Amino acid sequence: MLRPAASGPRVFLTAEWRNLAMLNYEVDPHVLEPYLPRQLELDFWNGKTYVSLVGFLFRDTRVMGVPIPFHRNFAELNLRFYVRRRDTFEERRGVIFIREIVPRWAVSFVARKVYQENYLTLPMRHSIESGRQADGGVAVEYAWRFRRRWNRMRIEAAGIAELPATGSFDEFIIDHFWGYSGQRNGDCLEYEVEHRPWPIRVATQVELDCDAAGLYGAELAEALACPPRSAFLVDGSAVALHCGVRLAARLEAPAVAPR
């Protein structure tokens, strides 16, 4: 069952997001400022800001209810960070994607055209190993070919998936249901990402072999070179991405200091 949606724009895309592998890293907030639209502010957890490297699978993808041949099932890798938007009535917590990688050029084209997201098309592959141990061990690996070599991330986990504890760091990472994308004219696109709450399996082992400097720049590469603050696997669920609503540019600078 999907999380109840706010009344608003119709659904643009439906799919299942499955086998999410998430590596979460602390990063200096000033590194994120160039990616932050003026309508938003950074979302802090205990005074710190974070990025997440996320690999996952799209299954049964449909655009406006229509399945697109040869583009229903594919992998994605993205690097994202966490933001919030306050208005008179509520506070919305969401994510901004620094870069998204998929193996289908048409997916990149539509995402750039509709949302102006920073998509890159690269060869990708993945593997899912389950039932490896009596305790329910599972291993998920995503790989992508960049600059003539294969990069990869791998997470192993065990045990039963559980909802993260209330107020925990992992709940902070999971509990974002809005996406934002800065536009070339200074506006910001806001769209709801609808899905049920996700139980997680905490990682027992992680590996990352990535040309992070080539993909994300030196400052973000420095953050990704450190051990992750946390890592986990998510089985996933059905999702619905709603059509975006434009937030007009404004003159005020965003708040970046922790509260």
Side-chain angles (χ1 to χ4, degrees):
M1 180 177 179
L2 295 176
R3 187 181 67 87
S7 60
R10 61 178 176 165
V11 170
F12 174 72
L13 178 147
T14 60
E16 292 188 2
W17 286 354
R18 294 295 181 183
N19 300 114
L20 293 91
M22 303 186 67
L23 300 174
N24 310 301
Y25 298 87
E26 182 183 344
V27 64
D28 189 314
H30 296 293
V31 174
L32 301 176
E33 288 180 25
Y35 304 97
L36 184 68
R38 300 179 69 86
Q39 298 87 339
L40 308 174
E41 56 188 85
L42 293 174
D43 200 358
F44 289 79
W45 190 82
N46 284 359
K48 297 179 179 180
T49 51
Y50 293 86
V51 295
S52 296
L53 190 65
V54 185
F56 65 103
L57 299 176
F58 273 84
R59 295 294 189 220
D60 193 23
T61 306
R62 297 168 184 260
V63 177
M64 297 293 188
V66 179
I68 308 301
F70 309 110
H71 291 79
R72 295 180 64 183
N73 304 311
F74 55 91
E76 177 175 314
L77 180 89
N78 65 58
L79 184 68
R80 72 185 201 179
F81 68 99
Y82 302 93
V83 296
R84 63 177 69 203
R85 183 175 77 86
R86 305 170 188 265
D87 63 22
T88 305
F89 304 103
E90 66 175 321
E91 177 180 272
R92 293 179 172 179
R93 303 177 63 238
V95 303
I96 289 180
F97 298 100
I98 294 172
R99 168 159 274 181
E100 294 153 280
I101 298 171
V102 291
R104 300 283 190 269
W105 70 266
V107 175
S108 296
F109 175 81
V110 171
R112 288 194 294 261
K113 188 74 172 177
V114 176
Y115 292 99
Q116 293 187 25
E117 295 278 15
N118 185 20
Y119 266 75
L120 179 65
T121 306
L122 295 175
M124 295 186 69
R125 62 193 185 196
H126 66 275
S127 65
I128 312 295
E129 304 171 39
S130 59
R132 301 168 68 249
Q133 304 170 14
D135 59 1
V138 59
V140 176
E141 179 174 315
Y142 293 95
W144 57 101
R145 186 171 175 82
F146 179 64
R147 292 182 175 174
R148 300 184 178 182
R149 80 171 184 92
W150 283 97
N151 297 242
R152 61 190 285 270
M153 66 177 294
R154 178 182 174 90
I155 296 181
E156 297 184 16
I160 298 172
E162 298 179 337
L163 290 173
T166 301
S168 67
F169 173 73
D170 288 339
E171 183 193 50
F172 166 81
I173 294 294
I174 287 290
D175 189 27
H176 290 78
F177 294 96
W178 296 87
Y180 294 92
S181 178
Q183 307 294 287
R184 286 184 287 272
N185 67 352
D187 291 350
C188 179
L189 204 65
E190 176 185 72
Y191 54 95
E192 186 172 12
V193 182
E194 183 186 355
H195 62 79
R196 66 172 174 79
W198 283 336
I200 68 172
R201 290 185 174 91
V202 177
T204 56
Q205 184 173 336
V206 302
E207 299 177 43
L208 177 63
D209 177 11
C210 175
D211 181 1
L215 284 168
Y216 310 118
E219 291 181 311
L220 285 165
E222 183 177 349
L224 296 179
C226 299
R229 166 67 173 75
S230 80
F232 51 80
L233 296 178
V234 180
D235 291 339
S237 68
V239 300
L241 274 64
H242 290 247
C243 293
V245 174
R246 281 187 177 268
L247 309 175
R250 66 187 191 191
L251 297 178
E252 300 97 310
V256 296
R259 296 163 302 281

